[in-house]
Amino acid sequence: MKHRIVVLGAGYAGAFAAGNLARRLSPADTEITVVNAVPDFVERMRLHQLAIGHDVAFRKLADVFAGTGVRLRLARVTGVDPERRTVAVTGEDGDGELAYDTLLYTLGSSVAHHGVPGVAEYAFDVTGRSSALRLRERLAGLGEGGTVLVVGEGLTGLETATEFAESRPDLSVALAARGEPGAWLSPKARRHLRQAFDRLGITVHEHTCIEAVEPTRAIAADGTAIPADVIVWSAGFAVHPIAAASGLEVAETGQIVVDRTMRSVSHPDVYAAGDCAYAIGENGRPLPMSCASAGFTNMQATAAIIARLTGSQVPTVGLKYHGNHISLGRRDAIFQMVDEDVRSKDWYLGGRTAAWLKSGILKGSGWSIAHPTFGMPKRRRRLVTAPDRAGAKVAA
């Protein structure tokens, strides 16, 4: 019987991982299934562009995996039973269950409301395609002089505010930040960021903690009301509670606790990658939720799965966070390198060159997803043992 590998989620981590597994493992021994709730690959790093009205093409996952041997199951994951090694799903065909021998959990993250009253009811976000399209429709209805408040000074907040201000100069865009926007950047990069805000006419509310959201305004901790026709919430990310509910060991964040090879510390036939993995980097700190971390962790997870199933030594993939790429509209950006302690180095790259670099990274990521089995070898690796359906582990 074939070894059943199930990949949950087809985002940056899951889609690439599924293709890599198909590229490296023999189809005579393995059966790879990807479960995803929507039929398209969603480039999350472009969703703020989609929201403001730009055309963003979405690749059909059926086309992405065509000819690779990867099976696509369009369904929403509703539960995981790691003891029985099954995944519960629901989709157009109703409820169902998938059995696995190896599970790769890459369900990603969504917007974190942090329990702030009114966020779920009145705020918009750009963490998913449906929410970005909902925001797109709302922004399209705003006339000249409309006001937009972006809450959150992280990468998503900075990119959203600058993209909106550049693309819609008829709108009044503001940013609410708990501290100083870009406080982690080097002094020169922070100055570049402030100049970009000034150039784009973005109003910055520094040291402003939003504690409530209402239909047409946000309320700060000091009671100040900031009026806005549209409030975009970008104050962090949260993972789905499915992992915690399944009995897998998770961190306080709800992320699956994994070892150095991205293997669950509580269930060795489960691996995790991307935002939902609580992975410790080479500096001894948890990797941040980011596309870069998704790349490193999915490469480590797939390398470990392949090695263990084929009886090879598990290789070590570098788990370093190298820096931030921050788009400031389409013609400006900041590329900030960091050291081993995630402290910004003095050197940074800004302006059109940095924007060109960021654009290249986005295109490269999209290309790698569109060609998941590029360079597929003629001879793929065979498994050393057959799976034990009674519950024995295939490889140690």
Side-chain angles (χ1 to χ4, degrees), residues 107-339:
L107 288 180
S109 62
S110 59
V111 65
H113 294 165
H114 300 300
V116 176
V119 172
E121 295 83 1
Y122 307 119
F124 296 80
D125 68 81
V126 292
T127 58
R129 184 175 64 170
S130 59
S131 58
L133 288 173
R134 175 172 165 262
L135 174 56
R136 179 187 179 109
E137 182 179 2
R138 179 70 179 93
L139 291 173
L142 285 184
E144 183 174 355
T147 56
V148 178
L149 174 66
V150 179
V151 180
E153 70 275 23
L155 303 184
T156 302
L158 297 180
E159 292 196 339
T160 299
T162 51
E163 183 77 34
F164 285 14
E166 180 184 86
S167 301
R168 290 285 305 273
D170 59 313
L171 299 179
S172 177
V173 178
L175 178 76
R178 284 177 172 269
E180 175 190 0
W184 70 91
L185 297 171
S186 63
K188 291 181 180 179
R190 287 201 302 272
R191 184 162 58 249
H192 186 111
L193 179 62
R194 289 194 296 269
Q195 290 171 348
F197 283 157
D198 292 341
R199 171 173 54 84
L200 295 170
I202 298 172
T203 300
V204 179
H205 302 279
E206 291 189 355
H207 306 289
T208 301
C209 179
I210 301 301
E211 293 197 343
V213 173
E214 298 178 357
T216 58
R217 64 179 188 171
I219 309 299
D222 63 0
T224 301
I226 304 175
D229 296 314
V230 175
I231 297 172
V232 183
W233 192 262
S234 59
F237 301 97
V239 298
H240 198 284
I242 285 178
S246 71
L248 292 165
E249 183 171 336
V250 299
E252 291 184 2
T253 57
Q255 295 167 291
I256 298 173
V257 180
V258 295
D259 63 15
R260 182 59 178 77
T261 69
M262 302 302 115
R263 197 181 204 177
S264 165
V265 298
S266 61
H267 294 78
D269 41 19
V270 176
Y271 293 77
D275 287 355
C276 56
Y278 188 79
I280 304 301
E282 295 179 11
N283 60 1
R285 301 178 181 179
L287 289 174
M289 294 184 184
S290 69
C291 182
S293 298
F296 299 141
T297 55
N298 96 67
M299 286 190 290
Q300 179 62 78
T302 54
I305 292 171
I306 292 165
R308 289 188 172 115
L309 292 182
T310 58
S312 305
Q313 183 176 356
V314 178
T316 299
V317 175
L319 297 178
K320 292 184 178 180
Y321 192 75
H322 297 284
N324 302 131
H325 300 84
I326 310 170
S327 295
L328 304 175
R330 295 302 182 92
R331 296 180 293 276
D332 192 6
I334 291 174
F335 177 46
Q336 175 70 71
M337 297 293 290
V338 299
D339 61 18

Side-chain angles (χ1 to χ4, degrees), residues 89-106:
V89 298
T90 184
E92 293 182 355
D93 299 329
D95 297 340
E97 191 173 79
L98 291 173
Y100 67 83
D101 298 300
T102 296
L103 180 70
L104 178 54
Y105 190 109
T106 64

Side-chain angles (χ1 to χ4, degrees), residues 2-42:
K2 293 184 179 182
H3 187 91
R4 301 161 298 183
I5 301 175
V6 175
V7 181
L8 303 184
Y12 288 105
F16 185 84
N20 195 28
L21 290 168
R23 186 170 69 89
R24 302 287 301 281
L25 294 172
S26 172
D29 298 331
T30 55
E31 177 183 288
I32 302 169
T33 302
V34 175
V35 182
N36 203 59
V38 297
D40 305 318
F41 170 71
V42 178

